[in-house]
Coordinates of all heavy atoms in Angstrom, one line a residue:
M894 N 8.5 8.4 -18.1 CA 7.4 8.2 -17.2 C 7.5 8.9 -15.9 O 8.7 8.9 -15.4 CB 7.2 6.8 -17.0 CG 6.0 6.3 -16.2 SD 5.8 4.5 -16.1 CE 5.8 4.4 -14.3
S895 N 6.6 9.7 -15.5 CA 6.7 10.4 -14.3 C 6.3 9.6 -13.0 O 5.7 8.6 -13.1 CB 5.8 11.7 -14.3 OG 4.4 11.2 -14.4
E896 N 6.8 9.9 -11.9 CA 6.6 9.3 -10.7 C 5.0 9.6 -10.3 O 4.5 10.5 -10.7 CB 7.4 9.6 -9.6 CG 8.8 9.3 -9.7 CD 9.7 9.5 -8.5 OE1 9.2 9.6 -7.5 OE2 10.9 9.4 -8.5
P897 N 4.4 8.5 -9.8 CA 3.1 8.7 -9.4 C 2.9 9.8 -8.2 O 3.7 10.0 -7.5 CB 2.6 7.3 -8.8 CG 3.9 6.6 -8.5 CD 4.9 7.2 -9.4
S898 N 1.6 10.4 -8.2 CA 1.3 11.2 -7.2 C 0.3 10.6 -6.1 O -0.4 9.7 -6.6 CB 0.7 12.6 -7.7 OG -0.4 12.4 -8.4
F899 N 0.5 11.0 -5.0 CA -0.3 10.3 -3.9 C -1.1 11.2 -3.1 O -0.7 12.4 -3.0 CB 0.8 9.5 -2.9 CG 1.5 8.4 -3.6 CD1 2.7 8.7 -4.2 CD2 1.0 7.2 -3.5 CE1 3.6 7.8 -4.7 CE2 1.7 6.1 -4.1 CZ 3.1 6.4 -4.7
E900 N -2.2 10.8 -2.5 CA -2.9 11.6 -1.7 C -3.5 10.6 -0.7 O -3.5 9.3 -0.7 CB -4.1 12.3 -2.4 CG -5.1 11.3 -3.0 CD -6.3 12.0 -3.6 OE1 -6.0 13.3 -4.1 OE2 -7.4 11.4 -3.8
W901 N -4.0 11.2 0.4 CA -4.7 10.4 1.6 C -5.3 11.3 2.5 O -5.2 12.5 2.5 CB -3.5 9.5 2.4 CG -2.5 10.4 2.9 CD1 -2.4 11.1 4.1 CD2 -1.2 10.3 2.5 NE1 -1.2 11.5 4.2 CE2 -0.4 11.1 3.3 CE3 -0.6 9.9 1.3 CZ2 0.9 11.6 3.1 CZ3 0.7 10.1 1.1 CH2 1.5 10.9 1.9
D902 N -6.3 10.7 3.3 CA -6.9 11.5 4.4 C -6.0 11.5 5.5 O -5.5 10.5 6.1 CB -8.2 10.8 4.7 CG -9.0 11.4 5.9 OD1 -9.7 12.3 5.6 OD2 -8.8 11.1 7.0
E903 N -5.8 12.8 6.1 CA -4.8 12.9 7.2 C -5.2 12.2 8.4 O -4.4 11.6 9.1 CB -4.3 14.4 7.4 CG -3.3 14.5 8.4 CD -2.0 13.8 7.9 OE1 -1.6 13.5 6.7 OE2 -1.2 13.3 8.9
A904 N -6.5 12.2 8.7 CA -7.0 11.8 10.0 C -7.0 10.1 9.8 O -6.6 9.5 10.8 CB -8.6 12.0 10.2
K905 N -7.1 9.6 8.6 CA -7.0 8.1 8.4 C -5.6 7.8 8.6 O -5.2 6.7 9.1 CB -7.5 7.8 7.1 CG -7.4 6.3 6.7 CD -8.2 5.4 7.5 CE -8.2 4.0 6.9 NZ -8.4 3.0 7.9
N906 N -4.5 8.6 8.1 CA -3.0 8.4 8.1 C -2.7 8.3 9.7 O -2.0 7.4 10.0 CB -2.4 9.5 7.5 CG -0.8 9.4 7.6 OD1 -0.3 8.4 7.6 ND2 -0.3 10.5 7.8
L907 N -3.2 9.3 10.6 CA -2.9 9.2 11.9 C -3.4 8.0 12.6 O -2.7 7.3 13.4 CB -3.4 10.6 12.6 CG -2.7 11.8 12.1 CD1 -3.4 13.0 12.7 CD2 -1.2 11.8 12.4
S908 N -4.6 7.7 12.3 CA -5.2 6.4 12.8 C -4.4 5.2 12.4 O -4.2 4.2 13.2 CB -6.6 6.3 12.3 OG -7.1 5.1 12.6
N909 N -4.0 5.1 11.1 CA -3.2 4.1 10.6 C -1.8 3.8 11.3 O -1.4 2.8 11.7 CB -3.0 4.2 9.2 CG -2.5 2.8 8.5 OD1 -3.2 2.0 8.2 ND2 -1.2 2.7 8.3
Q910 N -1.3 5.0 11.6 CA 0.0 5.1 12.3 C -0.2 4.5 13.8 O 0.7 3.7 14.1 CB 0.6 6.4 12.5 CG 1.2 6.9 11.2 CD 1.7 8.3 11.3 OE1 2.6 8.6 11.9 NE2 1.1 9.2 10.5
R911 N -1.3 4.8 14.4 CA -1.5 4.3 15.8 C -1.8 2.8 15.6 O -1.2 2.1 16.6 CB -2.7 5.0 16.4 CG -2.2 6.4 16.9 CD -3.4 7.0 17.8 NE -4.7 7.1 17.0 CZ -5.0 8.2 16.3 NH1 -4.1 9.2 16.1 NH2 -6.2 8.2 15.7
K912 N -2.5 2.4 14.8 CA -3.1 1.0 14.6 C -1.9 0.0 14.2 O -1.7 -1.0 14.6 CB -4.4 0.9 13.8 CG -4.9 -0.4 13.9 CD -6.3 -0.4 13.1 CE -6.9 -1.7 13.2 NZ -8.2 -1.7 12.4
H913 N -1.2 0.4 13.0 CA -0.2 -0.4 12.3 C 1.2 0.0 12.4 O 2.0 -0.7 11.9 CB -0.7 -0.6 10.8 CG -2.1 -1.1 10.8 ND1 -2.4 -2.4 11.1 CD2 -3.3 -0.5 10.3 CE1 -3.8 -2.5 10.9 NE2 -4.3 -1.4 10.4
G914 N 1.4 1.2 12.8 CA 2.8 1.7 12.9 C 3.4 2.1 11.7 O 4.7 2.2 11.6
V915 N 2.7 2.4 10.6 CA 3.0 2.8 9.3 C 2.4 4.1 8.9 O 1.1 4.1 8.8 CB 3.0 1.7 8.2 CG1 3.4 2.1 7.0 CG2 3.6 0.4 8.7
S916 N 3.1 5.1 8.5 CA 2.6 6.3 8.1 C 2.2 6.1 6.5 O 3.0 5.3 5.8 CB 3.4 7.5 8.3 OG 4.5 7.6 7.3
F917 N 1.3 6.9 5.9 CA 1.1 6.8 4.5 C 2.3 7.4 3.7 O 2.5 7.0 2.6 CB -0.3 7.6 4.1 CG -1.4 6.7 4.8 CD1 -2.7 7.3 4.7 CD2 -1.4 5.5 5.3 CE1 -3.8 6.6 5.1 CE2 -2.4 4.8 5.6 CZ -3.7 5.4 5.6
Y918 N 3.0 8.3 4.3 CA 4.3 8.8 3.7 C 5.1 7.6 3.5 O 5.7 7.5 2.3 CB 4.8 9.8 4.5 CG 6.2 10.3 3.9 CD1 6.2 11.2 2.9 CD2 7.4 9.8 4.4 CE1 7.5 11.6 2.2 CE2 8.6 10.2 3.9 CZ 8.7 11.0 2.8 OH 9.8 11.4 2.1
E919 N 5.4 6.8 4.5 CA 6.3 5.6 4.4 C 5.7 4.6 3.4 O 6.5 4.0 2.7 CB 6.3 5.0 5.7 CG 7.1 5.8 6.9 CD 6.9 5.0 8.1 OE1 7.5 3.9 8.3 OE2 6.3 5.6 9.0
A920 N 4.4 4.6 3.3 CA 3.8 3.5 2.5 C 4.1 3.7 1.0 O 4.0 2.9 0.2 CB 2.3 3.5 2.7
Q921 N 4.4 5.0 0.6 CA 4.5 5.4 -0.7 C 5.7 4.6 -1.3 O 5.9 4.3 -2.5 CB 4.9 6.9 -0.9 CG 3.7 7.8 -0.6 CD 4.1 9.3 -0.6 OE1 4.0 9.9 -1.7 NE2 4.7 9.8 0.4
F922 N 6.7 4.3 -0.4 CA 8.0 3.7 -0.9 C 7.8 2.2 -1.5 O 8.6 1.8 -2.4 CB 9.1 3.7 0.2 CG 9.6 5.1 0.5 CD1 9.0 5.8 1.4 CD2 10.5 5.6 -0.5 CE1 9.5 7.1 1.6 CE2 11.1 6.9 -0.1 CZ 10.5 7.7 0.9
A923 N 6.7 1.6 -1.2 CA 6.3 0.3 -1.7 C 6.1 0.4 -3.1 O 6.5 -0.6 -3.9 CB 5.0 -0.3 -1.0
F924 N 5.6 1.5 -3.6 CA 5.4 1.7 -5.1 C 6.6 2.0 -5.9 O 6.6 1.6 -7.1 CB 4.2 2.9 -5.3 CG 3.0 2.6 -4.7 CD1 2.6 2.9 -3.4 CD2 2.0 2.0 -5.6 CE1 1.4 2.7 -3.0 CE2 0.8 1.8 -5.1 CZ 0.3 2.1 -3.8
L925 N 7.7 2.3 -5.2 CA 9.0 2.5 -5.9 C 9.8 1.2 -6.1 O 10.7 1.2 -6.8 CB 9.7 3.5 -5.1 CG 9.2 4.9 -5.0 CD1 10.0 5.8 -4.2 CD2 8.7 5.6 -6.4
D926 N 9.3 0.2 -5.3 CA 10.1 -1.1 -5.5 C 9.7 -1.7 -6.9 O 8.6 -1.9 -7.3 CB 9.5 -2.1 -4.4 CG 10.1 -3.5 -4.4 OD1 11.0 -3.8 -5.3 OD2 9.8 -4.3 -3.6
S927 N 10.8 -2.0 -7.6 CA 10.6 -2.5 -9.1 C 10.1 -3.9 -8.8 O 9.6 -4.4 -10.1 CB 12.0 -2.4 -9.8 OG 12.9 -3.3 -9.1
N928 N 10.1 -4.6 -7.9 CA 9.5 -5.9 -7.8 C 8.2 -6.0 -7.1 O 7.7 -7.0 -6.6 CB 10.5 -6.9 -7.0 CG 11.8 -7.2 -7.8 OD1 11.7 -7.3 -9.1 ND2 12.9 -7.1 -7.2
R929 N 7.6 -4.9 -6.8 CA 6.4 -4.7 -6.2 C 5.3 -5.5 -6.9 O 5.4 -5.8 -8.2 CB 5.8 -3.3 -6.2 CG 5.4 -2.9 -7.5 CD 5.1 -1.2 -7.4 NE 4.9 -0.7 -8.8 CZ 5.8 -0.4 -9.7 NH1 7.0 -0.5 -9.3 NH2 5.5 0.1 -10.9
V930 N 4.2 -6.0 -6.2 CA 3.1 -6.8 -6.7 C 1.9 -6.0 -6.5 O 1.6 -5.4 -5.3 CB 3.1 -8.0 -6.0 CG1 1.9 -8.9 -6.5 CG2 4.3 -8.9 -6.1
I931 N 1.1 -5.8 -7.6 CA -0.2 -5.1 -7.4 C -1.3 -6.2 -7.7 O -1.2 -7.0 -8.6 CB -0.3 -4.1 -8.5 CG1 0.8 -3.0 -8.4 CG2 -1.7 -3.4 -8.5 CD1 0.8 -2.1 -7.3
A932 N -2.2 -6.2 -6.7 CA -3.4 -7.2 -6.9 C -4.7 -6.5 -6.6 O -4.7 -5.5 -5.7 CB -3.2 -8.3 -5.8
K933 N -5.8 -6.9 -7.1 CA -7.0 -6.4 -6.9 C -7.6 -6.9 -5.4 O -7.2 -8.0 -5.0 CB -8.1 -6.9 -7.9 CG -8.1 -6.2 -9.2 CD -9.1 -6.7 -10.1 CE -9.0 -6.1 -11.4 NZ -10.0 -6.5 -12.2
D934 N -8.1 -5.9 -4.8 CA -8.7 -6.1 -3.5 C -10.2 -6.5 -3.7 O -11.1 -5.5 -3.7 CB -8.6 -4.9 -2.6 CG -9.2 -5.0 -1.1 OD1 -9.8 -6.1 -0.8 OD2 -9.1 -4.1 -0.4
L935 N -10.4 -7.8 -3.7 CA -11.9 -8.2 -4.2 C -12.9 -7.9 -3.0 O -14.0 -7.9 -3.1 CB -11.9 -9.7 -4.6 CG -10.9 -10.0 -5.8 CD1 -10.8 -11.5 -6.1 CD2 -11.4 -9.1 -7.0
D936 N -12.3 -8.0 -1.8 CA -13.2 -7.9 -0.5 C -13.8 -6.4 -0.3 O -14.7 -6.3 0.3 CB -12.6 -8.4 0.7 CG -12.3 -9.9 0.6 OD1 -13.1 -10.7 -0.1 OD2 -11.3 -10.3 1.3
H937 N -13.0 -5.4 -0.9 CA -13.4 -4.0 -0.5 C -13.5 -3.1 -1.8 O -13.3 -2.1 -1.8 CB -12.1 -3.4 0.3 CG -12.0 -4.1 1.6 ND1 -11.1 -5.0 1.7 CD2 -12.7 -4.0 2.7 CE1 -11.0 -5.5 3.1 NE2 -12.1 -4.9 3.7
S938 N -14.1 -3.8 -2.8 CA -14.2 -3.1 -4.2 C -15.7 -2.9 -4.5 O -16.0 -2.9 -5.7 CB -13.4 -3.9 -5.2 OG -12.0 -3.8 -5.0
Q939 N -16.5 -2.8 -3.5 CA -18.0 -2.7 -3.8 C -18.3 -1.3 -4.5 O -18.9 -1.2 -5.5 CB -18.9 -2.8 -2.7 CG -18.8 -4.3 -2.1 CD -17.7 -4.6 -1.3 OE1 -17.0 -3.8 -0.7 NE2 -17.3 -5.9 -1.2
K940 N -17.8 -0.1 -3.9 CA -18.1 1.1 -4.4 C -17.1 1.7 -5.3 O -17.5 2.5 -6.2 CB -18.2 2.2 -3.1 CG -19.4 1.9 -2.2 CD -19.5 2.9 -1.1 CE -20.7 2.6 -0.1 NZ -20.7 3.5 1.0
E941 N -15.9 1.3 -5.2 CA -14.8 1.6 -6.2 C -13.8 0.6 -6.3 O -13.7 -0.2 -5.3 CB -14.2 3.0 -5.9 CG -13.5 2.9 -4.5 CD -12.8 4.4 -4.1 OE1 -12.9 5.3 -4.9 OE2 -12.5 4.4 -2.9
Q942 N -13.0 0.4 -7.4 CA -12.0 -0.7 -7.5 C -11.0 -0.3 -6.5 O -10.4 0.9 -6.5 CB -11.6 -0.5 -8.9 CG -10.8 -1.8 -9.2 CD -11.6 -3.1 -9.2 OE1 -12.5 -3.2 -9.8 NE2 -11.0 -4.1 -8.5
R943 N -10.5 -1.2 -5.7 CA -9.5 -1.0 -4.8 C -8.4 -2.2 -5.0 O -8.6 -3.2 -5.6 CB -9.9 -1.2 -3.3 CG -10.8 0.0 -2.9 CD -11.0 0.2 -1.5 NE -11.9 1.4 -1.3 CZ -12.2 1.7 -0.1 NH1 -11.7 1.0 1.0 NH2 -12.9 2.7 0.2
Y944 N -7.2 -1.8 -4.7 CA -6.0 -2.7 -4.9 C -5.2 -2.8 -3.6 O -5.2 -2.0 -2.7 CB -5.3 -2.1 -6.1 CG -6.0 -1.8 -7.4 CD1 -6.7 -0.7 -7.6 CD2 -6.0 -2.8 -8.4 CE1 -7.4 -0.4 -8.7 CE2 -6.8 -2.7 -9.5 CZ -7.5 -1.5 -9.7 OH -8.2 -1.3 -10.9
Y945 N -4.1 -3.7 -3.9 CA -3.2 -4.0 -2.9 C -1.8 -3.7 -3.6 O -1.7 -4.1 -4.8 CB -3.0 -5.2 -2.3 CG -4.2 -5.6 -1.3 CD1 -5.1 -6.6 -1.6 CD2 -4.2 -5.0 -0.1 CE1 -6.1 -6.8 -0.8 CE2 -5.1 -5.4 0.9 CZ -6.1 -6.3 0.5 OH -7.1 -6.6 1.4
C946 N -0.8 -3.0 -2.9 CA 0.4 -3.0 -3.4 C 1.4 -3.6 -2.4 O 1.3 -3.3 -1.2 CB 0.9 -1.5 -3.7 SG 2.7 -1.4 -4.1
F947 N 2.1 -4.6 -2.8 CA 3.1 -5.2 -1.9 C 4.5 -4.9 -2.3 O 4.8 -5.1 -3.5 CB 3.0 -6.8 -1.9 CG 1.6 -7.3 -1.7 CD1 0.7 -7.7 -2.7 CD2 1.0 -7.3 -0.4 CE1 -0.6 -8.1 -2.7 CE2 -0.5 -7.8 -0.3 CZ -1.1 -8.1 -1.5
G948 N 5.2 -4.2 -1.4 CA 6.6 -3.8 -1.9 C 7.4 -3.5 -0.7 O 6.9 -3.3 0.5
L949 N 8.8 -3.3 -1.0 CA 9.7 -3.1 0.1 C 9.5 -1.6 0.7 O 9.3 -0.6 0.1 CB 11.1 -3.2 -0.4 CG 11.6 -4.5 -0.8 CD1 12.9 -4.6 -1.5 CD2 11.6 -5.5 0.5
N950 N 9.8 -1.5 2.0 CA 10.0 -0.1 2.6 C 11.1 0.6 2.1 O 11.9 0.0 1.3 CB 9.9 -0.3 4.1 CG 11.0 -1.1 4.6 OD1 12.1 -1.3 4.1 ND2 10.9 -1.4 6.1
R951 N 11.3 1.8 2.6 CA 12.4 2.6 2.0 C 13.7 2.0 2.4 O 14.7 2.1 1.6 CB 12.3 4.0 2.8 CG 13.5 4.9 2.3 CD 13.4 6.3 2.9 NE 12.5 6.8 3.9 CZ 12.3 7.9 4.3 NH1 12.9 8.9 3.7 NH2 11.5 8.1 5.3
E952 N 13.8 1.4 3.7 CA 15.2 0.7 4.0 C 15.4 -0.6 3.3 O 16.6 -1.0 3.4 CB 15.2 0.6 5.5 CG 15.1 1.9 6.2 CD 13.7 2.4 6.4 OE1 12.7 1.6 6.2 OE2 13.6 3.6 6.7
G953 N 14.4 -1.1 2.7 CA 14.6 -2.5 2.0 C 14.5 -3.6 3.1 O 15.1 -4.7 2.8
T954 N 14.1 -3.3 4.2 CA 14.2 -4.3 5.3 C 12.8 -5.0 5.6 O 12.8 -5.9 6.4 CB 14.7 -3.6 6.7 OG1 13.8 -2.5 7.0 CG2 16.0 -3.0 6.4
G955 N 11.7 -4.5 5.0 CA 10.5 -5.1 5.2 C 9.5 -4.8 4.1 O 9.7 -4.1 3.3
I956 N 8.5 -5.7 4.1 CA 7.6 -5.6 3.0 C 6.3 -5.0 3.5 O 5.6 -5.5 4.5 CB 7.2 -7.0 2.4 CG1 8.5 -7.6 1.8 CG2 6.2 -7.0 1.4 CD1 8.6 -9.1 1.7
I957 N 5.8 -3.9 2.9 CA 4.7 -3.1 3.3 C 3.5 -3.6 2.3 O 3.7 -3.7 1.2 CB 4.8 -1.7 3.2 CG1 6.1 -1.2 4.2 CG2 3.6 -0.9 3.5 CD1 6.3 0.3 4.0
T958 N 2.4 -3.8 2.9 CA 1.0 -4.0 2.3 C 0.4 -2.6 2.3 O 0.1 -2.2 3.3 CB 0.3 -5.1 2.8 OG1 1.1 -6.3 2.9 CG2 -1.0 -5.3 2.1
V959 N 0.0 -2.1 1.1 CA -0.8 -0.9 1.0 C -2.1 -1.1 0.3 O -2.0 -1.7 -0.8 CB 0.2 0.2 0.2 CG1 -0.6 1.5 0.2 CG2 1.5 0.3 0.8
R960 N -3.2 -0.7 0.9 CA -4.4 -0.7 0.2 C -4.7 0.6 -0.4 O -4.6 1.7 0.3 CB -5.5 -1.2 1.1 CG -6.8 -1.3 0.4 CD -7.9 -2.1 1.1 NE -8.0 -1.7 2.4 CZ -8.1 -2.6 3.5 NH1 -7.8 -3.8 3.3 NH2 -8.3 -2.1 4.8
F961 N -5.2 0.5 -1.7 CA -5.2 2.0 -2.4 C -6.2 1.9 -3.5 O -6.8 0.9 -3.9 CB -3.8 2.5 -2.9 CG -3.3 1.6 -4.1 CD1 -3.5 2.0 -5.5 CD2 -2.8 0.4 -3.8 CE1 -3.2 1.3 -6.5 CE2 -2.3 -0.4 -5.0 CZ -2.6 0.1 -6.4
T962 N -6.6 3.1 -4.0 CA -7.5 3.2 -5.2 C -6.8 4.3 -6.1 O -6.0 5.0 -5.6 CB -9.0 3.5 -4.7 OG1 -9.8 3.3 -5.9 CG2 -9.0 4.9 -4.2
Y963 N -7.5 4.5 -7.3 CA -7.1 5.6 -8.2 C -8.2 6.6 -8.1 O -9.4 6.2 -8.2 CB -6.9 5.1 -9.5 CG -5.7 4.2 -9.7 CD1 -5.9 2.8 -9.8 CD2 -4.3 4.6 -9.7 CE1 -4.8 2.0 -10.0 CE2 -3.3 3.9 -9.8 CZ -3.4 2.5 -10.0 OH -2.5 1.6 -10.2
R964 N -7.9 7.8 -7.7 CA -9.0 8.9 -7.8 C -8.3 10.2 -8.5 O -7.3 10.6 -8.1 CB -9.3 9.4 -6.3 CG -10.3 8.3 -5.7 CD -10.9 8.9 -4.5 NE -11.5 7.8 -3.7 CZ -11.8 7.9 -2.5 NH1 -11.5 9.1 -1.8 NH2 -12.3 7.0 -1.9
S965 N -8.9 10.6 -9.5 CA -8.5 11.8 -10.2 C -7.0 11.8 -10.5 O -6.4 12.7 -10.4 CB -8.8 13.1 -9.3 OG -10.2 13.1 -9.0
G966 N -6.6 10.7 -11.1 CA -5.2 10.6 -11.5 C -4.2 10.3 -10.5 O -3.0 10.3 -10.7
C967 N -4.6 10.2 -9.2 CA -3.8 10.1 -8.1 C -3.9 8.6 -7.5 O -5.0 8.1 -7.6 CB -4.0 11.1 -7.0 SG -3.5 12.8 -7.4
I968 N -2.9 8.2 -6.8 CA -3.0 7.0 -6.1 C -3.4 7.5 -4.6 O -2.9 8.2 -4.0 CB -1.6 6.3 -5.9 CG1 -1.3 5.7 -7.4 CG2 -1.6 5.1 -4.9 CD1 0.1 5.1 -7.3
R969 N -4.6 7.0 -4.1 CA -5.1 7.4 -2.9 C -4.9 6.2 -1.9 O -5.5 5.2 -2.0 CB -6.7 7.8 -2.8 CG -7.2 8.2 -1.6 CD -8.6 8.9 -1.7 NE -9.0 9.3 -0.4 CZ -8.8 10.5 0.2 NH1 -8.0 11.3 -0.5 NH2 -9.3 10.9 1.3
I970 N -4.1 6.5 -0.9 CA -3.8 5.3 0.0 C -4.8 5.3 1.0 O -5.2 6.3 1.6 CB -2.4 5.6 0.7 CG1 -1.3 5.6 -0.5 CG2 -2.1 4.5 1.7 CD1 0.1 5.9 0.1
I971 N -5.4 4.1 1.4 CA -6.4 3.8 2.2 C -6.0 3.2 3.5 O -6.5 3.4 4.5 CB -7.6 3.0 1.5 CG1 -8.0 3.7 0.4 CG2 -8.6 2.7 2.5 CD1 -8.8 2.9 -0.6
G972 N -5.0 2.4 3.5 CA -4.4 1.7 4.6 C -3.0 1.1 4.3 O -2.8 0.8 3.1
A973 N -2.2 0.8 5.4 CA -0.8 0.2 5.1 C -0.3 -0.5 6.5 O -0.8 0.0 7.5 CB 0.1 1.2 4.7
G974 N 0.4 -1.4 6.2 CA 1.0 -2.1 7.4 C 1.9 -3.3 7.0 O 2.0 -3.5 5.8
Y975 N 2.6 -3.8 7.9 CA 3.3 -5.0 7.8 C 2.5 -6.2 8.1 O 2.4 -6.6 9.2 CB 4.6 -5.0 8.7 CG 5.6 -3.8 8.2 CD1 5.6 -2.6 9.0 CD2 6.5 -4.0 7.2 CE1 6.4 -1.6 8.5 CE2 7.4 -3.0 6.9 CZ 7.3 -1.8 7.5 OH 8.2 -0.9 7.1
W976 N 2.0 -6.8 7.1 CA 1.1 -8.0 7.2 C 1.6 -9.2 6.6 O 2.2 -9.2 5.5 CB -0.3 -7.6 6.6 CG -1.0 -6.5 7.2 CD1 -1.1 -6.2 8.5 CD2 -1.7 -5.3 6.6 NE1 -1.8 -5.0 8.8 CE2 -2.1 -4.5 7.6 CE3 -1.9 -5.1 5.4 CZ2 -2.8 -3.2 7.4 CZ3 -2.5 -3.9 5.1 CH2 -3.0 -3.0 6.1
R977 N 1.6 -10.3 7.4 CA 2.2 -11.6 7.0 C 1.7 -12.0 5.7 O 2.4 -12.5 4.8 CB 2.0 -12.7 8.1 CG 2.6 -12.5 9.3 CD 2.3 -13.7 10.2 NE 1.1 -13.8 10.7 CZ 0.5 -13.2 11.7 NH1 1.3 -12.4 12.4 NH2 -0.8 -13.4 12.0
K978 N 0.3 -11.8 5.4 CA -0.2 -12.3 4.2 C 0.5 -11.4 3.0 O 0.7 -12.1 1.9 CB -1.7 -12.1 4.2 CG -2.4 -12.9 3.0 CD -4.0 -12.7 3.2 CE -4.6 -13.4 2.1 NZ -6.1 -13.3 2.4
G979 N 0.6 -10.2 3.2 CA 1.3 -9.5 2.1 C 2.7 -9.9 1.8 O 3.3 -9.9 0.7
K980 N 3.4 -10.1 3.0 CA 4.8 -10.7 2.8 C 4.8 -12.0 2.0 O 5.8 -12.1 1.2 CB 5.4 -10.9 4.2 CG 6.9 -11.3 4.2 CD 7.4 -11.3 5.7 CE 8.9 -11.4 5.7 NZ 9.3 -12.8 5.6
K981 N 3.9 -12.9 2.3 CA 3.9 -14.1 1.6 C 3.5 -14.0 0.2 O 4.3 -14.6 -0.7 CB 2.7 -15.1 2.3 CG 2.7 -16.5 1.6 CD 1.7 -17.2 2.4 CE 1.5 -18.6 1.8 NZ 0.5 -19.4 2.4
V982 N 2.6 -13.1 -0.2 CA 2.4 -12.8 -1.6 C 3.6 -12.3 -2.3 O 4.0 -12.7 -3.4 CB 1.2 -11.9 -1.8 CG1 1.0 -11.3 -3.3 CG2 0.0 -12.5 -1.2
Y983 N 4.3 -11.3 -1.7 CA 5.5 -10.7 -2.3 C 6.6 -11.7 -2.5 O 7.2 -11.7 -3.5 CB 6.0 -9.7 -1.4 CG 7.2 -8.9 -1.9 CD1 7.0 -7.8 -2.8 CD2 8.5 -9.3 -1.6 CE1 8.1 -7.1 -3.3 CE2 9.5 -8.6 -2.0 CZ 9.4 -7.5 -2.9 OH 10.5 -6.7 -3.5
E984 N 6.8 -12.6 -1.5 CA 7.8 -13.6 -1.6 C 7.6 -14.7 -2.6 O 8.4 -15.3 -3.1 CB 8.1 -14.2 -0.2 CG 8.8 -13.2 0.7 CD 9.0 -13.7 2.1 OE1 8.3 -14.7 2.6 OE2 9.8 -13.1 2.9
Q985 N 6.2 -15.0 -2.9 CA 5.9 -15.9 -3.8 C 6.2 -15.4 -5.1 O 6.5 -16.1 -6.1 CB 4.5 -16.4 -3.6 CG 4.2 -17.3 -2.6 CD 2.7 -17.6 -2.3 OE1 1.8 -16.9 -2.7 NE2 2.4 -18.6 -1.5
A986 N 5.9 -14.2 -5.4 CA 6.2 -13.4 -6.7 C 7.7 -13.3 -7.0 O 8.0 -13.1 -8.1 CB 5.4 -12.2 -6.8
N987 N 8.4 -13.1 -5.9 CA 9.8 -12.8 -5.9 C 10.8 -13.8 -5.3 O 11.3 -13.4 -4.2 CB 10.0 -11.4 -5.4 CG 9.4 -10.3 -6.2 OD1 9.7 -10.0 -7.3 ND2 8.2 -9.6 -5.7
P988 N 10.9 -15.0 -5.7 CA 11.7 -16.1 -5.0 C 13.1 -15.6 -4.8 O 13.6 -15.1 -5.7 CB 11.4 -17.3 -5.7 CG 10.8 -16.9 -7.1 CD 10.3 -15.5 -7.0
V989 N 13.7 -16.0 -3.8 CA 15.1 -15.6 -3.5 C 16.0 -16.6 -4.3 O 15.8 -17.6 -4.4 CB 15.4 -15.7 -2.1 CG1 16.9 -15.4 -1.9 CG2 14.4 -14.7 -1.3

């Protein structure tokens, strides 16, 4: 199985970094976590199906929540950050 490919809007990436302190490049690492959790984003799926990925950051020290969709065979990252709700979902699915 090949690794997924990612894409994003660079202006949105810069805005996300200012607002949430997480780049979309960093957000990719959540998808590499073998214990990641993928869930449908029911609140933002009117025009296209959107999802959340809850997974560890590159250092394994925090849980990143990534909002994304699939477009043309790529994972398109829409937003990312360290959100308490995402951490809770991840920890419920992966008890210590």
Side-chain angles (χ1 to χ4, degrees):
M894 184 172 122
S895 64
E896 289 193 18
S898 59
F899 296 89
E900 65 178 24
W901 54 78
D902 177 89
E903 190 56 31
K905 178 72 172 153
N906 176 35
L907 294 172
S908 171
N909 194 83
Q910 287 179 59
R911 284 190 299 274
K912 189 173 180 181
H913 301 293
V915 177
S916 74
F917 290 171
Y918 175 80
E919 294 171 66
Q921 296 176 91
F922 289 93
F924 291 86
L925 299 178
D926 178 0
S927 61
N928 292 316
R929 71 189 172 276
V930 177
I931 304 292
K933 287 185 177 181
D934 179 357
L935 301 175
D936 293 333
H937 300 96
S938 292
Q939 291 78 23
K940 294 182 181 178
E941 65 184 349
Q942 191 67 51
R943 293 191 176 182
Y944 303 89
Y945 288 107
C946 174
F947 310 102
L949 290 172
N950 62 11
R951 180 177 12 189
E952 297 81 17
T954 57
I956 298 159
I957 299 176
T958 299
V959 184
R960 190 166 39 236
F961 71 99
T962 192
Y963 294 103
R964 286 192 194 158
S965 303
C967 287
I968 294 172
R969 183 167 180 86
I970 297 176
I971 299 165
Y975 291 97
W976 297 317
R977 287 185 300 272
K978 191 173 184 179
K980 183 174 188 276
K981 183 177 179 181
V982 169
Y983 183 88
E984 289 172 344
Q985 287 175 340
N987 296 289
V989 179

